[in-house]
Amino acid sequence: MSKDLITGAEALMRSLEHHNVKTIFGYPGGSIMPTFDALYDHLDKINHILVRHEQAAVHAAQGFARTSGDVGVCLVTSGPGATNTITGIADAMIDSTPVVVIAGQVGVNFLGSDAFQEVDLVGITQPITKWSYQIRRAEDVAWAVARAFYIASSGRPGPVVLDFAKNAQIEKFAYVPTKLDYIRSYVPVPDTDADSILAAAELINNAERPLVLVGQGVELGNAQQELCDFIEKADMPAGCTLLGLSALSSNHPLNKGMLGMHGNLGPNVNTNKCDVLIAVGMRFDDRVTGNVATYAPQAKVIHFDIDPSEIDKNIKVEVAVLGDCKKTLAEVAKHLKPQKHTDWIESFKTYEEVELEKVINPELNPLSDTLSMGEVVRAVSDATNHEAILVTDVGQNQMMAARYFKYTKNRSIVTSGGLGTMGFSLPAAIGATFGRPDRTVCSFMGDGGLQMNIQELGTIMEQKAPVKIILLNNNFLGNVRQWQAMFFNRKYSFTPMMNPDYLKIADAYDIPSKRVTNREELKAGIQEMLATDGPFLLEACVIEEGNVMPMTPPGGSVNQMLLEC
């Protein structure tokens, strides 16, 4: 405890250090300048990464948080600096990513006067945060930071915004380090009803065709081993949501693949054949369920979740098991009888064989001389021994990467799931390299997504961030074009892309690069990329009108997937 008087800005730096923050992503400006001045004297303990746009600061913080398990932190100025973070905050909210965004604000005396770069950040962000608070007095800094970190990281994680008035940055007070582990009326982890544990176990013990849906909550709760023990004891096949793909190794014999609109045929079709459906840490997103009216009508549903608001929100459940899934999975597993569901698990093979013949083999071994997205993804995954972190953008590159990349380690996929934010991959991959500097980070993107945040090549250049950028260039906004082809009579309304020479752009940022146009060049290009210290851009020119299959058409049922366009 210090009795010395310090500024609110200095108190913020000490509070961040008190919460073990070592990396922040940000961009300075007028209303946050006193805080950046204080930061200058703390660079021995806090590494500040200067991004080139505030949206990228939040995405980088997301990539850091999702790979490290720690809270990501951003520091920006008021007005447009603050509003530029909105997309990232909304993305973090829907994907349950713990970030704390600290934004400058005009002094309290100027609030409500339409002062230069004044904006009601608290009002704007309240619907898309777990908590949004304006710090108006220096003496509130330590309390607000402690509360922010506790709320962001506890229970179902999510974003918190601190709107830091300029007068509070400058005022002096006697700073006292603060941490919180309790807030009245805030219950991050609900109590688990013992009856629900027994009811869930009874349903599973009596099931003939159980199916487990694995969501990101398993990763967020660090319950990967508990999940394995759970499914192995009762011999239950599992499918993974997009954000939950690396919670269960791709090689696990009970892992039957990805759920959702572009997921694998077996787990989707068998969703409508199982008799007990067990959802763990997932929210029954519409891209997973398809038409809810025809979603698993035959099944009794068990839902493990930490957030009571998710229960019965989209899908009515038979048993709700509330609580931390690391504990609840283990508790239910204690009551499970060892079983074998051989015939049920064998039933997935028929769909696997159909998908292999109709979709996977044509994608990985295309008849065309031109590269396919899937074969590029699989080649990169193979070259990294399936141990790399996959960061994707949004669109066809995202679905192809998710489908054809393989996962053998936890926290290995970083993608914009619920919001679908183009431009996510490049800054998120930068954050991932700081979150897990010991791992290879492969950033897949399309030509559209790269140009959404292309300025972050400057951040990569300055930081020498070892992002391995794989640009799947098809000269289209590919996902929209696919929908136009399938549902809008091939009217390609503003989806063809006129592209620049990306190698020249990479060269301007001093980033090594290579373009590959055929499979003879692909292997050498990947080897060169992985052998290069630091960043690298590999542009793969792929089939222009390739499609991601299988696909559940909009409004369709999960068991009615299209295998061809």
Side-chain angles (χ1 to χ4, degrees):
M1 182 182 298
S2 172
K3 294 183 179 180
D4 295 335
L5 298 181
I6 63 172
T7 66
E10 174 65 20
L12 175 64
M13 293 301 111
R14 295 190 190 183
S15 295
L16 292 177
E17 290 177 3
H18 189 56
H19 285 81
N20 202 34
V21 173
K22 294 181 172 59
T23 304
I24 61 178
F25 305 88
Y27 203 97
S31 290
I32 199 67
M33 205 175 297
T35 297
F36 270 87
D37 184 63
L39 172 62
Y40 192 83
D41 296 324
H42 289 260
L43 295 178
D44 58 330
K45 294 182 179 179
I46 298 177
N47 184 23
H48 176 268
I49 311 304
L50 177 66
V51 296
R52 292 336 190 233
H53 191 282
E54 291 88 354
Q55 179 185 343
V58 189
H59 293 330
Q62 288 177 273
F64 177 90
R66 296 261 287 272
T67 54
S68 69
D70 296 326
V71 177
V73 182
C74 307
L75 186 63
V76 300
T77 194
S78 63
T83 58
N84 281 346
T85 67
I86 301 303
T87 296
I89 293 168
D91 194 292
M93 185 66 177
I94 199 166
D95 282 352
S96 304
T97 307
V99 296
V100 172
V101 177
I102 303 162
Q105 180 58 280
V106 300
V108 168
N109 291 341
F110 291 97
L111 289 172
S113 69
D114 292 333
F116 179 66
Q117 292 192 334
E118 178 196 359
V119 69
D120 181 6
L121 184 62
V122 170
I124 292 170
T125 58
Q126 276 183 335
I128 54 171
T129 55
K130 287 187 73 178
W131 185 53
S132 189
Y133 179 76
Q134 188 172 76
I135 303 174
R136 297 187 174 200
R137 307 182 308 165
E139 52 261 44
D140 293 334
V141 170
W143 169 86
V145 171
R147 191 178 178 99
F149 274 79
Y150 177 54
I151 291 174
S153 61
S154 58
R156 180 179 181 173
V160 169
V161 164
L162 295 178
D163 193 36
F164 199 4
K166 195 168 186 178
N167 63 285
Q169 299 174 50
I170 298 169
E171 294 164 357
K172 292 187 175 183
F173 75 112
Y175 168 74
V176 177
T178 305
K179 280 193 177 180
L180 290 178
D181 59 8
Y182 171 78
I183 298 173
R184 190 178 66 179
S185 78
Y186 172 58
V187 183
V189 182
D191 292 334
T192 303
D193 180 7
D195 289 341
S196 71
I197 297 290
L198 297 176
E202 183 179 5
L203 277 179
I204 295 169
N205 285 334
N206 292 321
E208 295 181 358
R209 300 179 307 280
L211 178 61
V212 179
L213 312 184
V214 179
Q216 187 193 197
V218 175
E219 296 265 54
L220 296 174
N222 297 311
Q224 298 91 347
Q225 186 58 53
E226 287 77 8
L227 173 73
C228 284
D229 295 342
F230 176 75
I231 63 174
E232 288 169 3
K233 187 172 183 180
D235 196 33
M236 296 182 288
C240 299
T241 67
L242 175 64
L243 296 184
L245 281 172
S246 63
L248 186 63
S249 172
S250 301
N251 299 325
H252 196 289
L254 290 172
N255 188 345
K256 300 304 174 184
M258 186 169 78
L259 300 161
M261 177 178 279
H262 290 294
N264 293 107
L265 190 61
N268 279 290
V269 173
N270 275 346
T271 293
N272 277 19
K273 292 187 177 182
C274 67
D275 58 356
V276 176
L277 190 68
I278 305 118
V280 185
M282 53 88 71
R283 57 189 181 84
F284 289 109
D285 175 74
D286 61 286
R287 288 296 173 99
V288 166
T289 64
N291 185 351
V292 294
T294 59
Y295 182 78
Q298 79 297 333
K300 293 182 178 179
V301 179
I302 302 169
H303 194 172
F304 289 77
D305 213 288
I306 202 168
D307 185 353
S309 71
E310 290 297 341
I311 305 301
D312 291 331
K313 186 177 80 174
N314 296 325
I315 299 296
K316 296 295 181 181
V317 306
E318 187 84 9
V319 177
V321 184
L322 291 173
D324 183 340
C325 66
K326 189 176 182 68
K327 295 180 180 178
T328 56
L329 283 171
E331 283 298 312
V332 173
K334 290 178 184 177
H335 301 281
L336 295 183
K337 299 174 183 176
Q339 298 196 53
K340 287 293 180 184
H341 294 105
T342 305
D343 291 344
W344 170 235
I345 292 171
E346 281 289 315
S347 73
F348 285 81
K349 287 188 177 179
T350 300
Y351 302 113
E352 290 167 359
E353 290 168 359
V354 170
E355 186 176 353
L356 189 65
E357 177 188 353
K358 298 286 188 181
V359 179
I360 297 175
N361 282 339
E363 182 66 31
L364 296 182
N365 305 283
L367 297 177
S368 168
D369 291 335
T370 308
L371 294 167
S372 74
M373 285 191 183
E375 71 173 312
V376 175
V377 171
R378 180 58 60 82
V380 173
S381 185
D382 288 344
T384 59
N385 199 30
H386 313 304
E387 294 180 347
I389 291 173
L390 167 69
V391 186
T392 85
D393 214 84
V394 168
Q396 287 187 321
N397 69 88
Q398 178 184 36
M399 293 296 100
M400 287 294 194
R403 281 180 56 84
Y404 294 104
F405 213 76
K406 296 295 182 182
Y407 314 90
T408 59
K409 293 186 175 182
N410 302 140
R411 292 186 177 271
S412 289
I413 180 168
V414 180
T415 190
S416 174
L419 199 65
T421 304
M422 287 182 66
F424 176 87
S425 183
L426 197 61
I430 294 170
T433 64
F434 286 95
R436 287 303 300 270
D438 57 318
R439 297 184 63 187
T440 301
V441 175
C442 295
S443 176
F444 284 85
M445 61 196 70
D447 40 319
L450 172 56
Q451 293 188 82
M452 286 278 187
N453 268 316
I454 197 169
Q455 76 284 338
E456 296 312 309
L457 293 174
T459 306
I460 291 175
M461 172 184 66
E462 181 174 354
Q463 299 297 330
K464 296 180 172 56
V467 179
K468 307 305 181 183
I469 304 165
I470 301 95
L471 170 61
L472 302 174
N473 190 352
N474 60 4
N475 296 305
F476 272 102
L477 297 176
N479 207 48
V480 183
R481 183 214 55 77
Q482 178 172 335
W483 281 51
Q484 289 172 336
M486 297 178 71
F487 310 117
F488 292 89
N489 299 315
R490 303 184 70 85
K491 292 166 65 178
Y492 293 164
S493 180
F494 298 99
T495 47
M497 293 285 286
M498 179 178 289
N499 280 307
D501 187 330
Y502 291 108
L503 269 58
K504 289 182 179 178
I505 293 174
D507 184 60
Y509 284 102
D510 199 27
I511 296 173
S513 62
K514 188 179 185 67
R515 180 181 294 119
V516 295
T517 59
N518 57 62
R519 49 195 57 90
E520 286 73 27
E521 299 172 333
L522 179 61
K523 184 176 181 180
I526 293 172
Q527 289 176 341
E528 181 180 346
M529 174 182 72
L530 296 176
T532 300
D533 289 335
F536 193 97
L537 187 150
L538 180 66
E539 180 183 7
C541 299
V542 298
I543 299 169
E544 290 198 345
E545 296 190 42
N547 295 311
V548 187
M549 291 293 168
M551 180 180 183
T552 301
S557 299
V558 290
N559 60 338
Q560 297 174 336
M561 299 191 80
L562 304 175
L563 296 178
E564 54 189 8
C565 183

